[in-house]
Amino acid sequence: MHLACIMDGNGRWATRRHLPRTAGHTAGEENLAEVVRQCVRRDVDWLTVFGFSTENWVRPRREVRHILGLHEKLFGRVAELNELNVRITWIGRPFDDPSARTPRYVQRAIHKAIADTSSNTGMTLTVAFDYGSRAEIVDAARRAKALGRPVTADDLSRAMYLPDMPPVDVVVRTSGERRVSNFLLWQAAGAPIYFSDETWPDFSADDIDAALNLARAHQRS
Ligand code: FPP
């Protein structure tokens, strides 16, 4: 089972509590750690989360810096991930891409977490950072074209950032936002979408169960 989450509404969660938006992101990262534990308990094979998009760089500098720090924190949870037998991976614009902007300290945290959890055999947690689905597909198309023959859907699948990533079984979007994002457009084609009105920091184990049930009902139909 592959669950993919668009973690929306951190800002709204904070504003409702008269807190700065950054406090909402902090709560969002903490809830992500809890969602990881709950997914492991439910034998989810793949959990992919949208941490930071190619469009998010235009947010206020302070907020961007805070979100980058939270990624460093998340990728630093190696002991916890090892205890859960979770392997962490990343998708996003390659660091050597001319338009990539990931600072060195985040690159290092990502590389280290991937290396330090690579032998785990349980769930795969993939964090999309500096990620945009259209950029991924454009890159894949360029690489597939270099094969020098008419490009097939299989060629494109193999040229995605993580060729081993299985198709998404259900997309979750929180915070009452009922729209598609620039997230896993290739991998999630045909998947049902579970819309939750909860903001991401309040997204609960019951919501995970509801999303997984939606995926199972869709598989049976
Ligand atoms: C959406 O809330 C959230 C983001 C743009 C950033 C996602 C970051 C986190 C969930 C925290 C850390 C997670 C990782 C992977 C380290 P929003 O700011 O768009 O909220 P709003 O729609 O209420 O303004």
Side-chain angles (χ1 to χ4, degrees), residues 7-12 21 25 29 32 51 56 59 70-71 74:
M7 307 179 288
D8 227 333
N10 294 337
R12 271 162 283 178
R21 292 176 54 82
H25 296 311
E29 194 276 336
L32 173 57
N56 282 152
R59 291 193 178 209
L70 286 173
H71 279 77
L74 174 72

